[in-house]
């Protein structure tokens, strides 16, 4: 996945001159940011200040959710819960050299039997754990076998569009992909710190390709071409909530301490899932960028045009309205993060990930912090962007941030900060 943003950025550079007049705000230069107004999470649509927790929960928060449903991600169908059926496929109490209990579970979305649509969860729990353990949950890009080099992981089919036909198909992943994302997932580190890890291949929910919605779990619900109908990000986020439906039933999991994580597009998914599902107790959001935790209105890095051009199926049809109008988008990253309040939120950027606009990600976290304050929690303790590799992770604050050296990626450094953050916040919650 590291190559994707690089390719997108390269493409943008190649086509930028031709597109420049159609894409206001396409730039990487802070000095060229056009004047913009940052949306205020604490001013209601009627212009009145939101200065009580009740006004936040009853008026402003639902307004913001609606803005994202209408303009960005679309509406998750009201009947979106399904009769989830879990089938344990495999378990090993001595996985990863005795470090972990491994479970592989098929989660069926219908009662229709073994052929029904399903997703495959890979769940590791620390073998030495006594009682229920907190779990970090996230979707993965390349199949469960990629997250760690464990011969016990049963690969499931992944979606590809191979050359020359470019016809979308499901194939068994190459054995070489086993453990190819070890660095990005840090499974052994997570386990040795006392956390479980649950992951699912995002293609089980919808293939990440244009015109692939016929293979999406969206087909389980009444089809809709409405301008606010949900896109793939909504479908992937829905999958995280169904994963939690299962985790709530697993006696070895502490379902009050589930953190969601994701990288890039899958961090947009984690952000949106947390906005909709209050069971998500914490969010670890790595470089979710534009359409996620960054400020679209700054017009720096990726624009609505780029997102819409390359990934129209991620969003609702209405999102196309904002092409060329980044400065007017009514649902921006700071509002998305505010929907996570007051739950612990760690926002991570990388200095080499200009496409996501790290400063926009920081400013978003600062702005959302005001909602944390309103709800009686501390947000980020400063509005000054920290130096590279110097996390702001105050034990008193429910919002943490860092900009790491390096490129668009997830690294051991990110995970070290995330686990330190969870140690602080998950310890504070009383045991169920
Ligand atoms: C890029 C996309 C970004 C980000 C990234 C990724 O091409 O434009 O918004 O989501 O993909 O997921 O790697």
């Amino acid at each position: 996945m590291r190559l994707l943003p690089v390719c997108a950025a390269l493409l943008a550079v190649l086509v930028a001159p031709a597109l420049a007049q159609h894409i206001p705000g396409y730039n990487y230069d802070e000095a060229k940011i056009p004047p913009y107004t940052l949306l205020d999470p604490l001013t209601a649509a009627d212009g009145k200040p939101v200065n009580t927790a009740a006004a936040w929960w009853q008026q402003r928060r639902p307004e913001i959710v609606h803005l994202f449903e209408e303009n960005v991600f679309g509406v998750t169908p009201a009947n979106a819960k399904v009769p989830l059926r879990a089938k344990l496929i495999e378990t090993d109490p001595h996985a990863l050299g005795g470090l972990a209990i491994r479970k592989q579970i098929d989660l069926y979305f219908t009662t229709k039997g073994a052929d029904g649509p399903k997703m495959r969860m890979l769940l590791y729990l620390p073998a030495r754990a006594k009682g229920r353990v907190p779990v970090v949950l996230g979707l993965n890009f390349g199949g469960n076998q990629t997250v760690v080099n464990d011969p016990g992981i049963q690969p499931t089919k992944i979606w590809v569009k191979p050359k020359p036909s470019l016809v979308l198909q499901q194939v068994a992943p190459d054995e070489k992909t086993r453990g190819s994302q070890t660095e990005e997932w840090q499974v052994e580190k997570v386990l040795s710190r006392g956390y479980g890890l649950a992951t699912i291949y995002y293609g089980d929910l919808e293939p990440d390709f244009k015109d692939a919605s016929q293979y999406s779990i969206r087909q389980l619900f009444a089809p809709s071409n409405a301008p606010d109908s949900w896109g793939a990000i909504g479908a992937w986020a829905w999958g995280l909530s169904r994963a939690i439906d299962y985790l709530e039933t697993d006696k070895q999991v502490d379902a009050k301490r589930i953190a969601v994580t994701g990288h890039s597009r899958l961090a947009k998914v984690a952000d949106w899932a947390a906005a909709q599902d209050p069971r998500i107790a914490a969010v670890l959001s790595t470089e979710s960028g534009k359409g996620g935790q960054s400020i679209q209105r700054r017009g720096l890095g990726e624009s609505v045009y780029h997102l819409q051009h390359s990934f129209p199926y991620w969003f609702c049809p209405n999102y196309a309205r904002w092409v060329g109008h980044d400065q007017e988008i009514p649902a921006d990253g700071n509002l998305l993060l505010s929907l996570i309040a007051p739950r612990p939120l760690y926002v991570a950027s990388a200095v080499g990930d200009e496409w996501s606009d790290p400063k926009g990600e920081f400013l978003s976290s600062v702005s959302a912090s005001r909602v944390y304050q309103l709800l009686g929690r501390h947000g980020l303790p400063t509005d000054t962007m920290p130096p590279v590799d110097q996390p702001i992770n105050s034990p008193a604050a429910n919002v943490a941030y860092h900009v790491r050296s390096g490129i668009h990626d997830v690294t051991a450094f990110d995970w070290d900060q995330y686990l330190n953050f969870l140690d602080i916040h998950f310890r504070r919650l009383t045991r169920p």
Side-chain angles (χ1 to χ4, degrees), residues 10-68:
L10 193 67
L11 188 74
V13 169
L14 293 176
V15 297
L19 295 172
Q21 63 271 49
H22 305 298
I23 314 169
Y26 169 74
N27 97 97
Y28 279 143
D29 183 352
E30 191 77 25
K32 292 197 182 128
I33 291 179
Y36 74 98
T37 310
L38 188 64
L39 288 163
D40 184 356
L42 293 180
T43 300
D46 61 11
K48 298 211 175 98
V50 175
N51 42 29
T52 63
W56 169 257
W57 291 115
Q58 283 151 33
Q59 182 189 2
R60 183 58 174 153
R61 191 181 193 282
E63 264 175 25
I64 295 176
V65 171
H66 181 67
L67 285 170
F68 278 96

Side-chain angles (χ1 to χ4, degrees), residues 1 4-5 8 264-265 268 290 302 307 311 314 355 408:
M1 275 305 125
L4 269 171
S264 202
R265 70 197 68 183
K268 302 186 215 300
K290 300 303 171 84
E302 188 170 30
L307 281 160
F311 309 108
W314 287 0
W355 191 235
H408 189 65

Side-chain angles (χ1 to χ4, degrees), residues 315-352:
F315 303 98
C316 65
N318 266 344
Y319 191 60
R321 281 188 193 169
W322 306 106
V323 170
H325 299 280
D326 293 54
Q327 270 74 35
E328 293 143 57
I329 195 153
D332 209 343
N334 59 327
L335 299 195
L336 183 61
L337 296 187
S338 75
L339 295 175
I340 298 167
R343 293 165 287 173
L345 164 67
Y346 200 119
V347 177
S349 306
V351 75

